[in-house]
């Protein structure tokens, strides 16, 4: 499963409670769409850290890194470089 | 002292129209500009036929437009009905119809806006957005409001006139609309300004939503003294908040326990220059003593005001003077200026020190009542005394300590949730025979929602189905984090669910 698919499926399962992939676009803002709350974003970070073996530093907790599936994918790619 | 919030804002404008009032998303507006925007809204509403006392609902995140709409509504003689932006269309429709709102000012990007447009019959909808774009022809564009040139801030308003309705519940049954007069608001705002010693030199990074009472008090206290509001609408990214406090050299910051838990948990505060912070305020439920200690240790130069209040009291009832924080650990302090508090027993008689009873309060900040609900009003306001439903005692020095709530409201983050509201939504699922909702402890949010479900014999249900149904019908913070399926619920002899056994 690709990184994008893993993240999407985690959010669909845990926050949108559906298998319907159309419920979450890759560029949908978690903030504007009310998809995650402040504890949800922390849970998502723990998921990324566990599943993808990367450490999200506190100062990296920024919308440009985390506010959509595509932002997260790009952020992870940058980290792995 | 100002008689109404409009007087307060006008004074700030007269004092210094060029002072910065609001910073938001790269924009900076002066007091003069905010005043003009509010004038546009007031003129638009007046020219569109608003009559004094008409309700105008506001469904918008914190922004200069929210502020302009709120003050414009009040200035035109309208009643600002502030709605929770996390609510779903079902709640919003219920509130619009219960309040009889003639207009709705809604963020043009609000995810429920299309659904609200489809169902709302009465209210004309203004799509609020700096771009002025409108997603649909049925909506009135914000630019049309801005074109209403004129300064209609002159409608005569008296302190007894109704200014605002704040809905605190609503999905099912009768919504609870807390109705506040101009006098309620100005009295409470003046008291808060007094004990926080707010002046035009203050500035705050405001993260609490303005639509509910704590955020509402942050908004008005600052505008009425000519101070600056720096708006940050989300706690999702706590670094941004702290960076903003440092960059703007903000003097104040207000939060609920979960706000401080997030900031202390995820941000190395030492990495930022927060020396400009003069004070912090904390309300919205008790904060764990360990968290309070960490906060004061991390920001020793900032005074921490622990406070207690209720929307029914406009916002604030008590505060703990910061110099008493160590000596009166765990206390919510004493009555704020111009409020009288008594702890009363079940017979409504005042009790002595050390005895637990209900917090009752009297003052100009006590609400006019629940909108269109005189029965429920009579249950909580008796002879001018607000009966809060909160249990507490006071010590020999008169300092108040909260002992619990006499009702079973769940407090998660800054929100209070009636278990009944969630139970009624879960009960709608055809597989559900019986349901009970309780709050369970959570490290960050204080409490989160847990639902116990008994399914109809032979039927099965997935946890996800329960959560999905809640997500469709309830604000995000009301979705149960935990779902447990049980064979039966513990009950008393009379058949009432014994929730204490579920905890």
């Amino acid at each position: 499963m690709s990184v994008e698919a893993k993240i999407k499926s985690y959010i669909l399962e845990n926050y949108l409670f559906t298998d319907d992939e159309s419920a979450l676009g890759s560029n949908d803002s978690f903030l504007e769409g009310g998809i995650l709350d402040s504890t949800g974003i922390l849970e998502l970070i723990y998921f990324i850290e566990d599943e993808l073996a990367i450490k999200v530093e506190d100062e990296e907790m920024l919308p440009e890194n985390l506010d959509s599936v595509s932002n997260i994918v790009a952020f992870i790619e940058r980290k792995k470089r | 002292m100002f008689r109404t919030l409009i007087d307060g804002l006008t004074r700030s404008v007269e004092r210094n129209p060029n002072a910065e009032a609001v910073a938001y998303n790269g924009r900076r507006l002066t007091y003069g500009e905010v005043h003009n925007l509010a004038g546009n809204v007031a003129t638009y509403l007046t020219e569109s036929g608003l009559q004094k006392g008409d309700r105008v609902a506001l469904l918008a995140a914190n922004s200069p437009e929210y502020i302009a709409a709120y003050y414009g509504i009040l200035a035109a003689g309208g009643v600002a009905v502030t709605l929770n932006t996390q609510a779903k269309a079902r709640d919003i429709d219920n509130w619009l119809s219960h309040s009889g709102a003639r207009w709705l000012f809604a963020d043009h990007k609000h995810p429920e806006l299309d659904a609200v447009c489809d169902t709302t019959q009465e209210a004309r909808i203004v799509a609020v957005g700096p771009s002025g774009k409108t997603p649909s022809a049925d909506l009135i564009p914000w630019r049309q409001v801005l074109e209403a040139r004129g300064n209609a801030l002159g409608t005569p308003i008296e302190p007894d006139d109704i200014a605002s309705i704040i809905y605190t519940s609503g999905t099912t049954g009768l919504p609870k609309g807390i109705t506040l007069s101009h006098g309620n608001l100005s009295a409470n705002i003046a008291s808060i300004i007094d004990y926080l010693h707010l002046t035009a030199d203050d500035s705050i990074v405001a993260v609490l939503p303005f639509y509910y009472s704590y955020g509402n008090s942050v908004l008005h206290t600052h505008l009425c003294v000519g101070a600056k509001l720096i708006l940050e609408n989300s706690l999702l990214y706590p670094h941004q908040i702290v960076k903003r406090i440092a960059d703007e050299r903000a003097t104040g910051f207000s939060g609920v326990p979960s706000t401080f838990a997030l900031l202390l948990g995820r941000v190395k505060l030492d990495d930022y220059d927060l020396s400009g912070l003069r004070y912090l305020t904390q309300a919205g439920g008790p904060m764990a003593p360990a968290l309070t200690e960490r906060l004061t240790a991390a920001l020793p130069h900032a005074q921490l005001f622990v406070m207690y209040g209720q929307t029914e009291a406009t916002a604030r009832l008590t505060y703990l003077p910061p110099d008493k924080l160590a000596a009166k650990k765990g206390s919510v302090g004493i009555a704020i200026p111009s409020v009288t508090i008594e702890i009363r027993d079940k017979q409504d008689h005042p009790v002595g020190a050390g005895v637990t009873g209900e917090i009752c309060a009297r003052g100009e900040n006590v609400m006019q009542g629940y909108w269109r609900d005189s029965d429920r009003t009579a249950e909580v306001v008796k002879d001018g005394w607000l009966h809060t439903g909160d249990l507490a005692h006071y010590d020999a020095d008169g300092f108040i300590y909260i002992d619990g709530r006499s009702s079973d409201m769940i407090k998660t983050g800054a929100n209070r949730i009636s278990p009944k509201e969630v139970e009624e939504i879960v009960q709608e699922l055809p597989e559900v025979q019986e349901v009970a909702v309780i709050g369970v402890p959570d490290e960050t949010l204080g409490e989160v929602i847990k639902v116990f479900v008994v399914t109809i014999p032979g039927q099965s249900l997935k946890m996800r189905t329960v959560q999905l149904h809640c997500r469709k019908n309830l604000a995000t913070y009301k979705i149960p984090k935990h779902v447990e399926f049980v064979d039966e619920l513990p009950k008393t002899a009379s058949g009432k669910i014994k929730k204490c056994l579920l905890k």
Side-chain angles (χ1 to χ4, degrees):
Chain A
M1 199 188 264
S2 70
V3 169
E4 178 167 356
K6 270 188 191 172
I7 294 166
K8 226 173 179 175
S9 131
Y10 172 79
I11 294 170
L12 288 169
E13 168 81 26
N14 291 286
Y15 301 101
L16 299 176
F17 315 112
T18 175
D19 293 327
D20 177 7
E21 291 198 9
S22 68
L24 179 66
S26 295
N27 294 318
D28 288 354
S29 160
F30 301 151
L31 177 60
E32 284 180 9
I35 294 163
L36 297 181
D37 59 13
S38 49
T39 51
I41 198 96
L42 294 181
E43 289 163 355
L44 177 64
I45 288 168
Y46 299 142
F47 172 79
I48 293 169
E49 290 182 337
D50 286 350
E51 282 292 308
L52 306 169
I54 344 178
K55 174 88 181 90
V56 180
E57 301 298 337
D58 288 348
E59 55 275 16
E60 291 171 333
M61 277 185 65
L62 298 168
E64 49 268 39
N65 293 336
L66 299 169
D67 197 45
S68 66
V69 174
S70 57
N71 285 14
I72 295 173
V73 171
F75 167 63
I76 291 168
E77 280 173 6
R78 284 197 300 276
K79 291 274 285 185
K80 285 193 164 168
R81 251 180 236 154
Chain B
M1 179 58 185
F2 37 89
R3 289 169 72 243
T4 68
L5 297 181
I6 298 301
D7 289 347
L9 176 66
T10 304
R11 267 198 223 179
S12 296
V13 176
E14 287 168 356
R15 204 179 297 125
N16 186 357
N18 297 318
E20 266 184 24
V22 194
Y24 172 69
N25 234 356
R27 297 157 66 200
R28 287 179 184 271
L29 280 80
T30 64
Y31 270 88
E33 288 167 327
V34 168
H35 190 259
N36 287 343
L37 277 177
N40 293 140
V41 174
T43 306
Y44 165 79
L45 287 170
T46 306
E47 288 176 352
S48 304
L50 179 136
Q51 301 293 311
K52 195 169 175 181
D54 278 350
R55 273 78 60 207
V56 183
L58 188 47
L59 179 71
N62 296 0
S63 64
E65 287 69 29
Y66 179 104
I67 298 169
Y70 191 102
Y71 277 81
I73 294 164
L74 263 54
V79 176
V81 183
T82 56
L83 306 182
N84 184 332
T85 55
Q86 295 185 58
K88 300 291 181 197
R90 193 168 154 174
D91 273 341
I92 297 164
D93 285 342
N94 205 7
W95 293 327
L96 289 174
S97 95
H98 187 255
S99 66
R102 289 187 62 200
W103 285 269
L104 166 67
F105 282 68
D107 272 336
H108 69 287
K109 280 183 174 174
H110 195 284
E112 299 291 302
L113 187 53
D114 288 344
V116 172
C117 286
D118 288 345
T119 50
T120 297
Q121 308 287 325
E122 301 298 327
R124 281 183 271 174
I125 302 177
V126 176
V128 177
S131 65
K133 282 183 201 158
T134 51
S136 144
D138 298 335
L139 302 174
I140 299 157
W142 179 243
R143 65 171 178 277
Q144 191 175 322
V145 176
L146 298 184
E147 282 161 8
R149 300 276 172 209
N151 189 352
L153 295 188
T155 304
I157 300 164
E158 296 305 320
D160 287 343
D161 292 337
I162 301 299
S164 176
I165 300 172
I166 301 176
Y167 280 100
T168 57
S169 67
T171 303
T172 51
L174 197 59
K176 209 173 185 182
I178 291 159
T179 305
L180 303 172
S181 67
H182 287 270
N184 289 149
L185 283 160
S186 57
N188 205 227
I189 295 306
S191 299
I192 299 169
I193 290 169
D194 183 0
Y195 72 78
L196 289 179
H197 307 299
L198 288 176
T199 71
D201 293 332
D202 279 304
S203 56
I204 191 165
V205 170
V207 297
L208 300 165
F210 293 155
Y211 60 73
Y212 86 131
S213 61
Y214 190 5
N216 190 51
S217 68
V218 170
L219 167 65
H220 302 311
T221 48
H222 283 72
L223 290 185
C224 288
V225 296
K228 181 162 72 174
L229 290 151
I230 301 140
L231 310 183
E232 280 290 334
N233 278 349
S234 171
L235 283 169
L236 250 55
Y237 306 104
H239 278 87
Q240 280 197 166
I241 309 288
V242 178
K243 187 171 184 306
R244 205 77 201 281
I245 295 173
D247 291 350
E248 299 274 354
R249 289 201 61 75
T251 63
F253 184 75
S254 294
V256 296
S258 60
T259 318
F260 294 111
L262 274 171
L263 293 187
L264 288 168
R266 291 302 302 199
V267 188
K268 289 189 201 86
L269 297 183
D270 285 349
D271 291 351
Y272 297 88
D273 176 8
L274 302 176
S275 58
L277 271 180
R278 177 178 74 76
Y279 75 95
L280 306 164
T281 71
Q282 179 260 308
M287 188 148 88
L291 189 56
T292 305
E293 279 168 24
R294 281 176 61 205
L295 184 60
T296 49
L299 298 167
H301 56 282
Q303 292 190 311
L304 173 61
F305 289 80
V306 173
M307 318 186 302
Y308 158 78
Q310 253 196 359
T311 309
E312 283 84 345
T314 305
R316 202 60 49 229
L317 283 168
T318 73
Y319 81 109
L320 180 63
D323 61 345
K324 296 284 193 287
L325 194 62
K328 301 292 180 187
K329 205 177 278 181
S331 171
V332 293
I334 52 176
I336 62 169
S338 76
V339 166
T340 309
I341 292 203
E342 284 183 359
I343 311 286
R344 294 186 177 181
D345 63 17
K346 284 187 176 163
Q347 285 71 47
D348 221 17
H349 298 133
V351 298
V355 181
T356 295
E358 184 179 13
I359 300 178
C360 297
R362 191 173 60 179
E364 286 176 50
N365 58 326
V366 170
M367 66 168 179
Q368 305 302 297
Y370 296 115
W371 182 252
R372 291 180 174 164
D373 195 346
S374 51
D375 290 349
R376 203 144 49 168
T377 302
E379 285 171 19
V380 298
V381 184
K382 299 168 195 166
D383 297 328
W385 284 87
L386 171 67
H387 290 59
T388 64
D390 290 325
L391 303 175
H393 68 274
Y394 60 87
D395 68 9
D397 300 321
F399 283 76
I400 297 164
Y401 295 77
I402 306 281
D403 295 319
R405 275 194 63 79
S406 54
S407 73
D408 60 354
M409 297 289 275
I410 298 168
K411 198 142 207 172
T412 180
N415 303 294
R416 283 197 305 170
I417 300 157
S418 157
K420 189 163 166 274
E421 200 175 341
V422 182
E423 284 164 1
E424 289 180 357
I425 292 295
V426 176
Q427 191 73 59
E428 290 174 351
L429 290 161
E431 299 87 351
V432 172
Q433 177 173 300
E434 217 173 13
V435 61
V437 165
I438 60 165
V440 293
D442 180 83
E443 205 177 314
T444 306
L445 294 173
E447 280 187 307
V448 292
I449 296 173
K450 179 169 183 177
V451 56
F452 291 86
V453 179
V454 180
T455 53
I456 291 170
Q459 302 266 354
S460 69
L461 195 58
K462 286 182 179 160
M463 172 172 169
R464 187 202 268 194
T465 310
V466 174
Q467 290 173 313
L468 179 60
H469 184 66
C470 290
R471 183 168 180 93
K472 283 181 180 162
N473 292 288
L474 293 167
T476 310
Y477 63 84
K478 295 179 187 169
I479 301 170
K481 286 263 184 207
H482 309 285
V483 181
E484 187 174 331
F485 295 96
V486 290
D487 293 335
E488 59 180 332
L489 295 169
K491 291 193 182 132
T492 62
S494 60
K496 196 171 174 241
I497 296 169
K498 288 168 90 170
K499 288 195 175 175
C500 56
L501 294 182
L502 294 170
K503 297 213 175 196

